[in-house]
Amino acid sequence: YRTTTFENTYDPLHDYRRIQRIPESSRPFLQSELGYLAELAQGNQVLVLPAADEIPSNMYEVLRPNAKLLVAAPQGSTRTWGEDRVVSHKPFTDDHIKGLRHTDMVIISQEDMAGFSANHINDIQHNTAATVIITDGEKGSHIYMDGEDIFIPAFPLEECESREGYHTGNGDHFAACMAARHPAPNARDTYRDQFRIELIKAAAQASRDTALKISAREGVTDGLGSILSPQEITQWSEKNMQRVEG
């Protein structure tokens, strides 16, 4: 099988805006493979994170009965490209919007919705999962839940930490942190207030952990090596308690 690969360039003259190419892309999942994926989901917390429009819209419905928690970070399903392999973004199909309704949480970035109509963005916010998080880099993120719009500020980095830092995979990292820390879905109705508090705490911690992944560090190159272990995050937080508490 071919593996999807990306080439990311960050333009320093335009606020490090990302220009993304896809030299190679994998084939879409086949309907015949979804049953096996559903077996793997049995009793597990599942994060569905497409890379390049390879996930069929009914995958979420197939996974739903078996997954203890089902989180979607579906930005890869908005990606499209032409002969030059430069990525642009397309709106979700109606079938994909319907598929996302089977998830507990949807996480997507403002960047990945560039060019979407206001109606389409509203559809994502209010007609997919019970909880939707829209991230916007250093501007923070918004949690849409039960009619609320809850703002979560980004964890502040020094200019040198961000400028010289590691910018690849940050949305994926944030989504993984949220999937790992998401409170039990069955607590949403029984312990609504506590569920809300735990979700806000999870988003704030995901913001901090993702910022630390970005932060430039000696001897680290962009990629998997930029992801800190839980022990490293704890050590950093203890040394920088004033910034954490701020």
Side-chain angles (χ1 to χ4, degrees):
Y1 298 118
R2 287 187 302 177
T3 300
T4 299
T5 57
F6 292 93
E7 292 178 356
N8 293 329
T9 305
Y10 298 91
D11 186 352
L13 299 180
H14 295 88
D15 198 26
Y16 290 88
R17 180 177 65 88
R18 180 175 68 181
I19 301 170
Q20 190 170 63
R21 294 183 68 254
I22 298 184
E24 293 283 346
S25 57
S26 64
R27 64 162 175 80
F29 281 96
L30 304 176
Q31 290 293 322
S32 59
E33 296 169 328
L34 299 188
Y36 173 66
L37 295 175
E39 291 178 15
L40 295 178
Q42 183 66 51
N44 289 314
Q45 295 173 261
V46 178
L47 171 61
V48 180
L49 209 161
D53 201 20
E54 71 276 34
I55 289 181
S57 59
N58 68 322
M59 178 181 282
Y60 304 104
E61 183 177 5
V62 173
L63 297 178
R64 175 69 279 174
N66 288 355
K68 181 171 69 174
L69 173 75
L70 185 56
V71 177
Q75 65 269 24
S77 296
T78 73
R79 290 179 178 135
T80 186
W81 54 93
E83 291 184 4
D84 61 1
R85 312 299 288 185
V86 174
V87 173
S88 58
H89 299 281
K90 61 180 181 179
F92 294 117
T93 64
D94 289 343
D95 283 343
H96 213 96
I97 291 288
K98 291 175 182 176
L100 291 170
R101 292 174 188 162
H102 295 279
T103 66
D104 296 296
M105 175 186 288
V106 168
I107 303 169
I108 190 167
S109 74
Q110 197 69 50
E111 177 188 14
D112 288 314
M113 297 191 296
F116 287 15
S117 69
N119 285 341
H120 196 74
I121 293 174
N122 183 72
D123 219 15
I124 294 168
Q125 289 174 352
H126 303 294
N127 293 315
T128 55
T131 302
V132 175
I133 299 181
I134 296 181
T135 63
D136 197 10
E138 63 184 16
K139 296 178 182 178
S141 58
H142 290 261
I143 302 175
Y144 298 92
M145 179 178 66
D146 297 332
E148 274 193 282
D149 175 355
I150 305 167
F151 174 65
I152 305 295
F155 187 87
L157 289 175
E158 303 293 340
E159 183 181 351
C160 63
E161 291 175 324
S162 178
R163 184 181 64 251
E164 300 171 7
Y166 313 109
H167 298 274
T168 300
N170 298 324
D172 300 343
H173 187 275
F174 181 92
C177 290
M178 285 303 304
R181 292 195 174 102
H182 191 289
N186 58 7
R188 176 185 293 276
D189 296 324
T190 310
Y191 305 103
R192 183 173 296 272
D193 291 343
Q194 188 62 31
F195 180 91
R196 178 182 180 276
I197 291 169
E198 292 301 319
L199 195 66
I200 291 171
K201 286 169 57 178
Q205 290 170 335
S207 174
R208 177 202 61 185
D209 294 356
T210 301
L212 297 186
K213 177 210 168 295
I214 297 169
S215 180
R217 301 183 301 285
E218 185 177 351
V220 177
T221 59
D222 202 359
L224 290 176
S226 65
I227 300 175
L228 278 73
S229 68
Q231 293 79 9
E232 289 173 317
I233 291 171
T234 299
Q235 290 170 2
W236 187 95
S237 299
E238 289 173 349
K239 291 179 181 178
N240 297 271
M241 190 58 66
Q242 187 172 0
R243 289 178 66 179
V244 173
E245 292 176 344

